[in-house]
Amino acid sequence: MNNSFEELLRTLPKCFLLEASIPKRDYVFLDLSKSNKTLRTIDVSSSETLAVYINSHIKANNTKVAFGGFLETRNIYQRSNYFNNRNPETERNIHLGLDLWAAAETPIFTPFDAEVHSFKNNTNFGDYGPTIILKHIIEDIEFHTLYGHLSLASIEHLKVGQEFKKGDQIGTLGDAIINGDYPPHLHFQIIKDMEDYVGDYPGVCSKQDLEFYIGNCPDPNLLLHLD
């Protein structure tokens, strides 16, 4: 990754994707990696069962939002042929964004001034569902942020090139019916080079492609400061 880009991210003030009034103590880390032995006892292929597990975790910690997932190797994607080709080297199971697990219809806000790069309803099983990609330019450095698993209403009246100011609401979280069949959550990802993608960008990669994506998609927590 261009060092100047990562250094820029480190110098920016803490950003908010959900309501800024939610204090840091109301966020709890959630481990959905294949090394989490508890997940071996539940059916992670069921969005309903996974939702019970996640909501119980949030409630048990007396919080409002669960977060995590950057560079986690997850078994959850094995349910979908879109990700899983049964080859350990090329199977896409390494998560490249940060997830914020919260209720459907939770408002989502842009962390920076932005314009809409593209948007799309990615309807493959286990995919993003409605997705918005924003373009930002800060200190002459252009980069993008991706917001996956939104509601259909979030993209119904959107236009490419539409401008948002920092803190503007850009959409709301979708439910399992529309968001790729997951419990409601936001997939947030930083992308330096969009390559030729429009309305979509890989949010999960294989082991053999990891080095490239680590270089192009830095840790979202550089902006959110949740750890």
Side-chain angles (χ1 to χ4, degrees):
M1 177 183 303
N2 187 318
N3 287 336
S4 62
F5 178 47
E6 186 165 345
E7 286 306 312
L8 170 66
L9 298 180
R10 292 181 185 279
T11 63
L12 295 174
K14 179 179 179 179
C15 297
F16 297 91
L17 304 177
L18 307 185
E19 294 279 1
S21 60
I22 301 175
K24 185 176 179 178
R25 65 177 179 273
D26 280 340
Y27 289 78
V28 61
F29 176 73
L30 175 68
D31 178 7
L32 292 182
S33 71
K34 68 178 185 179
S35 61
N36 182 349
K37 295 180 180 180
T38 304
L39 293 181
R40 300 173 190 172
T41 66
I42 69 170
D43 180 9
V44 296
S45 69
S46 164
S47 59
E48 293 87 355
T49 302
L50 186 58
V52 170
Y53 174 77
I54 293 170
N55 291 333
S56 296
H57 180 72
I58 292 171
K59 184 176 180 180
N61 286 277
N62 195 29
T63 53
K64 296 180 179 178
V65 182
F67 74 93
F70 182 62
L71 299 187
E72 275 187 351
T73 301
R74 294 173 167 178
N75 287 333
I76 186 174
Y77 306 114
Q78 291 181 347
R79 65 185 184 143
S80 172
N81 291 332
Y82 184 61
F83 298 100
N84 184 18
N85 60 13
R86 309 298 177 184
N87 182 324
E89 291 300 315
T90 59
E91 176 186 353
R92 295 200 296 139
N93 61 1
I94 303 173
H95 191 252
L96 298 170
L98 185 140
D99 288 332
L100 296 175
W101 302 85
E105 301 301 322
T106 295
I108 304 300
F109 305 89
T110 174
F112 311 109
D113 293 351
E115 70 173 54
V116 177
H117 170 276
S118 53
F119 58 93
K120 181 182 176 185
N121 187 7
N122 296 286
T123 58
N124 293 296
F125 178 60
D127 208 336
Y128 290 128
T131 307
I132 296 174
I133 297 171
L134 300 181
K135 181 177 76 174
H136 315 279
I137 300 176
I138 299 178
E139 296 183 12
D140 296 323
I141 294 179
E142 179 179 303
F143 64 100
H144 305 79
T145 51
L146 181 149
Y147 308 79
H149 309 294
L150 302 176
S151 64
L152 268 180
S154 300
I155 62 173
E156 280 181 345
H157 304 292
L158 207 58
K159 296 180 180 179
V160 172
Q162 182 174 338
E163 295 185 349
F164 290 102
K165 292 295 185 183
K166 177 179 179 178
D168 285 350
Q169 182 176 336
I170 61 169
T172 58
L173 292 185
D175 60 22
I177 296 173
I178 190 63
N179 78 356
D181 193 46
Y182 293 100
H185 72 288
L186 175 70
H187 174 102
F188 176 67
Q189 188 167 334
I190 305 169
I191 305 162
K192 181 65 169 66
D193 179 4
M194 279 296 299
E195 305 176 72
D196 295 321
Y197 287 92
V198 176
D200 190 16
Y201 191 84
V204 182
C205 78
S206 65
K207 184 186 299 184
Q208 71 177 16
D209 293 331
L210 181 58
E211 184 176 356
F212 168 77
Y213 285 110
I214 287 177
N216 200 42
C217 300
D219 186 352
N221 217 26
L222 291 174
L223 299 179
L224 302 182
H225 300 183
L226 291 174
D227 284 338

